[in-house]
Amino acid sequence: MMKNLRKARLYVLPILFVMGIFSCSKDKGGAGTPDVIKKDGASDTLTTLFRNAYRVYEMQRNTKGIYRDSKLFSGTDYHPSSVANIGIGLISLCVADRMKWITDGSGQAITTLRTLLRHDPGFKLDVNTAGFPRHFVNMETGSQEWGSEYSTVDAAIMVSGALFCKNYFSGNTTIAGLADSLYQSIDWSKAIADPATGKLYLTLDGQGKGIGTTSVYNEYMLLAHLAYKSENGKGGPATNLWTNFYANTANLPKSNYAGNEVLTDYPGSFLSDFIPQFCYYLCKPYSANPAYMGYMKSSMLADKKWWGTISGTAVYEWGLGAGSDPSGYHANRIQDNDGKVVSPHIIGGFIPVEATVKNDLINMYKANKGIYTLPGTAYQILWRYSVKDPAWRANEVQGIDYSTMLFGLASLPEYCGTTFFSTNNDYKFPVYSFVSIK
């Protein structure tokens, strides 16, 4: 994730499965999943796209349990870790464990959490005095990379992944203790800029002083929620901000496109669709609120309506998300997608509000659009492509952005189920007390 998200190993199955001798129906998408997509089987297509979506995170993980920001499709990986993608990687372990793709999910989660909390002597996560980590850190040492900032929302996504693991591996007291420690290692109050206007700090300096602000509504809902819960029900600036804005959708700014009212940060403008999706998958107050869910569906309908104005596109070609772009890295949105880049992961991310969009992914694959092969394998995924410039190809797949493909497919009833996220994102918060790991 770039600032505010809007700027911006291999697991080899036994050869019998690769040859497709065993049907995916034997295991409901688990160990019997075929690896090479059969174009004559819609269920096989989805099952294999789902399985291969997890492989993206397997290939981004190192032995310390740290996840790389992006995976190159060819060449030597050079991207550092994104702390937000570490949170996504933790959730991917829960998905893989539920699907029986791995047998050591809890152990892998413990490795990641211990590394973040400096139990690995070779890894010292760079955090400021308030506990907020750098956006990008070295895969092996935890030190700052790319001159990155101490990021508030990336910290929130990292910790959300830990709390998700705590819920999913509910009987594991080691994971619970580590997740609680990670949550309490950050002074969330430092992210609050102005409860009266809903402003949160984008970044902090080394001493925890805020730099730059963002206005509601956006993915910083995740940050606002963690800060709100850190006040232990006693009230304070974060509680006031939450009550004034995120607790009631009537208090949030809105825009309208083709008859579809959507939430936004500024009336008349539009947001990239990863925002409602991140809020759905990672924040219980969003996924449990029918009003928020209505706006999520409106975002999907507005997205499809906008794509309907683009000549030469098929009905399955839509999705306004973030990731690799002909211009570099970009978070596309209504009226801001010069490259006419289709985001399959956004289509997948909307499955919880409209399961039939899975057919658009199937039809996209059948039409040979947006297909990429993970390096050194025959494993195929759907990723961003340009309708305007069909010759353009993405160089890499960003883990944070691709997450909604994995999550959306996981939400199908034949896989992890429709309540998988709305159950596990109902975080069990400890009585909060800031304890620095520095």
Side-chain angles (χ1 to χ4, degrees), residues 23 97 101 114 186 193 196 200 254 321 329 367 371 379 402 405 411 433:
S23 162
D97 181 86
W101 294 333
R114 285 177 57 85
I186 295 174
L200 294 160
K254 302 168 183 73
Y329 177 95
I371 297 175
Y379 306 146
Y402 196 66
M405 176 68 87
S411 300
S433 177

Side-chain angles (χ1 to χ4, degrees), residues 216-231:
V216 292
Y217 149 85
N218 52 38
E219 73 275 20
Y220 283 71
M221 181 180 187
L222 310 177
L223 174 66
H225 184 233
L226 296 183
Y228 162 55
K229 298 301 289 188
S230 76
E231 293 183 341

Side-chain angles (χ1 to χ4, degrees), residues 10 18 35-37 48 52 372-381:
L10 294 192
V18 175
D35 295 297
V36 179
I37 297 173
T48 307
N52 291 347
Y372 291 80
T373 302
L374 296 178
T377 78
Y379 306 146
Q380 295 176 329
I381 65 171

Side-chain angles (χ1 to χ4, degrees), residues 344-364:
H345 54 297
I346 293 297
I347 298 174
F350 277 124
I351 284 174
V353 294
E354 183 53 71
T356 60
V357 301
K358 67 183 182 181
N359 295 321
D360 291 338
L361 299 176
I362 294 169
N363 290 330
M364 187 179 295

